[in-house]
Amino acid sequence: MTAIITASELAQQLAGGAPPVLLDVRWQLSVAKAAGAPAFDGRAAYAAGHIPGAVFVDLDRELAAAPGAHGRHPLPDLAEFGAAMRRAGVSAGRPVVVYDGGQGWAAARAWWLLSWTGHPDVRVLDAGLPSWRGALSTEEAVPAEGDFAPVPGAAGLLDADGAAALARTGVLLDARAGERYRGEVEPIDRVGGHIPGAVSAPTTENVGPDGRFLPAAELRDRFKALGVSEDTEVGVYCGSGVSGAHEVLALAVAGIPAALYVGSWSEWSSDPSRPVATGADPQ
């Protein structure tokens, strides 16, 4: 089973006798919000038109806890997350497909959380809503209550200490834009730069101009060039555990398991005692 699904495959499944649960997780990182401008309203976008049957999921409220010491998008309370997923109709025995506005970051965050907490069949719509060629609906879906009970996995999650160690013993990939990694700009967090030993690997380079993931073989070649081999332990971080989930998804498409440091740079950089590297050199 692949971690992604095409729009044509999704259309076939939705027309079948056992359609997947469909989650709309439209969200955007808003630097304008940090400057006081209105944030992107995913619920309003959903109300204006969504794939028929999709249920809206709020990334900030249902896929993350409130910002704090553990970053801007820390792990949600798992009981609350489970309740939100059940309200959305998610059950352990029914496939789930997640989509967003096309960037893939928010959908990947939902995919990662559901997968890490034990759902066996979750996929992301490749290239998101823009790839959908069918009609859209403005009717809010009200699904039957699901039965999904999240159980966190024993692997797949890093904390700050684990990320620091992995940067020395394996490969820790920094999914942010290169200029943030190098510390040339930092529009959101306290200081720019990267975790010492981390390798710059912008997640935007995992997709083509159409927003679709590169073929698995090309992704494997990319990650190999960044130091990932068959026996390498791999971790990923970003600004707050959202775009990093997209890189974990790209690695999964390539057949490479990876852990996510959810707190990411927003947590790491908030503690002045943690070391910060700048420039193109991982060290």
Side-chain angles (χ1 to χ4, degrees):
M1 186 186 71
T2 181
I4 56 177
I5 185 172
T6 66
S8 59
E9 290 169 338
L10 175 59
Q12 291 175 358
Q13 292 191 11
L14 291 174
V21 174
L22 190 57
L23 304 180
D24 182 315
V25 196
R26 273 178 278 181
W27 170 91
Q28 290 180 10
L29 173 65
S30 178
V31 176
K33 180 182 177 182
F40 172 80
D41 190 339
R43 187 173 291 279
Y46 169 86
H50 52 269
I51 298 176
V55 178
F56 179 73
V57 172
D58 190 315
L59 185 149
D60 289 319
R61 293 177 174 81
E62 296 174 318
L63 304 182
H70 294 296
R72 277 181 275 109
H73 290 103
L75 283 175
D77 176 89
L78 290 187
E80 294 179 5
F81 169 66
M85 293 300 97
R86 291 189 292 275
R87 286 195 302 272
V90 176
S91 293
R94 187 177 173 190
V96 177
V97 174
V98 189
Y99 73 88
D100 59 22
Q103 188 179 45
W105 296 4
R109 171 72 176 225
W111 165 84
W112 180 83
L113 262 175
L114 282 165
S115 300
W116 177 67
T117 54
H119 199 289
D121 189 351
V122 188
R123 285 178 287 176
V124 170
L125 176 59
D126 199 13
L129 186 61
S131 70
W132 180 252
R133 295 294 176 261
L136 297 180
S137 171
T138 57
E139 181 179 349
E140 182 172 0
V142 183
E145 183 90 359
D147 65 13
F148 179 66
V151 178
L157 177 68
L158 294 171
D159 59 12
D161 291 340
L166 185 57
R168 301 301 181 188
T169 62
V171 175
L172 181 65
L173 300 175
D174 185 319
R176 299 172 300 158
E179 59 268 25
R180 292 184 70 189
Y181 170 89
R182 294 187 296 270
E184 296 166 358
V185 299
E186 182 44 63
I188 303 174
D189 294 313
R190 185 185 67 84
V191 64
H194 59 269
I195 297 173
V199 177
S200 180
T203 200
T204 52
E205 296 179 14
N206 293 318
V207 299
D210 59 359
R212 290 177 171 82
F213 279 102
L214 300 176
E218 291 184 28
L219 289 171
R220 283 192 291 272
D221 288 343
R222 181 188 186 219
F223 292 122
K224 181 178 180 181
L226 293 169
V228 176
S229 61
E230 290 185 2
D231 57 352
T232 306
E233 187 177 0
V234 183
V236 181
Y237 76 95
C238 58
S240 64
V242 179
S243 66
H246 188 263
E247 185 120 296
V248 174
L249 176 58
L251 285 153
V253 172
I256 302 166
L260 178 65
Y261 172 25
V262 174
S264 285
W265 190 248
S266 59
E267 178 186 39
W268 182 277
S269 65
S270 69
D271 184 345
S273 71
R274 293 193 183 108
V276 170
T278 57
D281 187 341
Q283 305 307 315

